[in-house]
Amino acid sequence: MKDQILSLLPEDHPWRNNIHWFNSIDSTSDRARTLALNGALHGTVLIAEQQTNGHGRMGRNFYSPAGNGIYMSLILRPDCTAESLMHLTCSVAVAICNAIEEATGLRPGIKWTNDLVYKGRKLGGILTGLYMQPGENYVHHAIIGIGINCNQSPEDFPSQLQNIAGSLSVACKKAVDRPVIAASMIRALYRMDQMLLQKKETLINAYKADCITLGQRIVVSCGDNRRYGKALDIDSDGGLIVYFEDGLTETVTSGEVSIRGMYGYV
Ligand code: BTN
């Protein structure tokens, strides 16, 4: 798969010499973190055929069997503060929608903040982390992790994901080409990186266009606390502006946001 991906990247692509391929790994993001701490370059890409401990937001497991998915992590070393990179997850989500559309013709939607969805099913997810040196305000490195369900049939998913997970092949009604999608992701992430600090407004506007959460009735869960409301807008850092039933309008930056009628939530 690595050779196929390389054959789909331009000879002079700045990241092509920093691509690491693993047949099986615990988590590409965990390994990326180790590599970053040991000096790996900006633009280092890790891709695995299988993850034995893939993980997502809220400490959840990310189902990562061999054969059907793309599990990728990217190390960036942006020269900026964490405050100026709050839009990173949103920017990655748009880049991956661009990549999937370029490779398959299908454009997923984004469920705030980090789920890629199509017709109510989760096609993949994004997990980003910003890491600082102790006592410093500047980002030492960022780790971006992306998992995409490509060629799974509905019955391939474990029972607890049966009502939630989908795949690109089901959405496209035909098998999809993983190296083509992976190469498209690398190219799209590179273009995103070029825009990240200078074109924040453009990236957030693109995110708003893809975000299916906007206009929906939602519930925001934080521990045992649940608040009901309607998603109104995305702020300039990627926060979700919500009108709550108690009459308050607030920006949500963390916690779990569920859309009524989706993923089995009523
Ligand atoms: C989510 O759905 O909450 C995010 C899922 C992110 C999964 C990817 S797969 C590649 C990378 N390695 C991990 O362990 N997680 C990310």
Side-chain angles (χ1 to χ4, degrees):
M1 176 129 143
K2 182 180 174 183
D3 288 345
Q4 286 168 285
I5 293 170
L6 286 176
S7 74
L8 294 160
L9 292 177
E11 285 296 327
D12 58 351
H13 194 285
W15 292 353
R16 69 174 287 134
N17 294 325
N18 307 330
I19 297 175
H20 301 256
W21 166 260
F22 303 89
N23 203 36
S24 180
I25 197 171
D26 50 356
S27 154
T28 55
S29 285
D30 290 352
R31 183 65 64 90
R33 177 103 170 97
T34 306
L35 292 183
L37 289 172
N38 285 300
L41 294 175
H42 178 91
T44 298
V45 177
L46 296 84
I47 313 173
E49 179 64 31
Q50 174 191 30
Q51 295 184 121
T52 53
N53 187 27
H55 45 82
R57 274 184 86 225
M58 324 289 267
R60 292 192 187 116
N61 175 52
F62 188 83
Y63 183 60
S64 314
N68 290 323
I70 296 174
Y71 317 111
M72 180 186 290
S73 294
L74 166 68
I75 301 169
L76 294 182
R77 297 186 179 279
D79 188 19
C80 64
T81 60
E83 292 73 44
S84 56
L85 264 193
M86 290 298 106
H87 62 305
L88 179 63
T89 302
C90 294
S91 305
V92 172
V94 170
I96 302 306
C97 286
N98 290 340
I100 290 173
E101 185 174 23
E102 182 187 279
T104 69
L106 177 133
R107 189 168 189 92
I110 304 166
K111 176 183 163 290
W112 188 90
T113 50
N114 67 326
D115 278 2
L116 302 173
V117 296
Y118 186 73
K119 292 195 174 166
R121 299 244 163 204
K122 177 164 173 163
L123 300 178
I126 293 157
L127 182 67
T128 60
L130 299 178
Y131 299 93
M132 338 285 282
Q133 295 282 51
E136 280 188 13
N137 192 25
Y138 264 63
V139 175
H140 182 259
H141 60 270
I143 306 290
I144 294 163
I146 306 143
I148 308 287
N149 302 330
C150 291
N151 283 320
Q152 291 89 344
S153 303
E155 58 275 12
D156 290 336
F157 293 105
S159 56
Q160 68 273 21
L161 297 179
Q162 286 283 332
N163 291 328
I164 297 174
S167 69
L168 285 172
S169 61
V170 171
C172 295
K173 299 191 175 70
K174 61 175 188 203
V176 295
D177 190 327
R178 287 186 299 153
V180 168
I181 297 168
S184 186
M185 286 166 62
I186 294 169
R187 293 193 304 265
L189 288 165
Y190 178 76
R191 292 194 300 268
M192 175 215 72
D193 178 51
Q194 302 292 99
M195 297 172 70
L196 198 54
L197 297 177
Q198 314 297 340
K199 301 270 189 216
K200 188 171 163 181
E201 196 180 335
T202 307
L203 290 165
I204 289 292
N205 283 338
Y207 183 85
K208 285 189 202 185
D210 284 328
C211 183
I212 59 148
T213 308
L214 295 180
Q216 301 288 332
R217 290 193 306 146
I218 58 167
V219 59
V220 181
S221 316
C222 205
D224 289 340
N225 184 25
R226 301 185 127 222
R227 293 177 74 196
Y228 295 83
K230 185 174 177 184
L232 296 182
D233 204 355
I234 304 292
D235 78 4
S236 60
D237 284 328
L240 184 67
I241 302 172
V242 180
Y243 176 74
F244 286 104
E245 279 181 348
D246 57 14
L248 295 174
T249 298
E250 292 174 26
T251 301
V252 176
T253 56
S254 61
E256 178 77 352
V257 172
S258 310
I259 300 178
R260 303 196 78 165
M262 200 173 156
Y263 295 177
Y265 167 69
V266 283

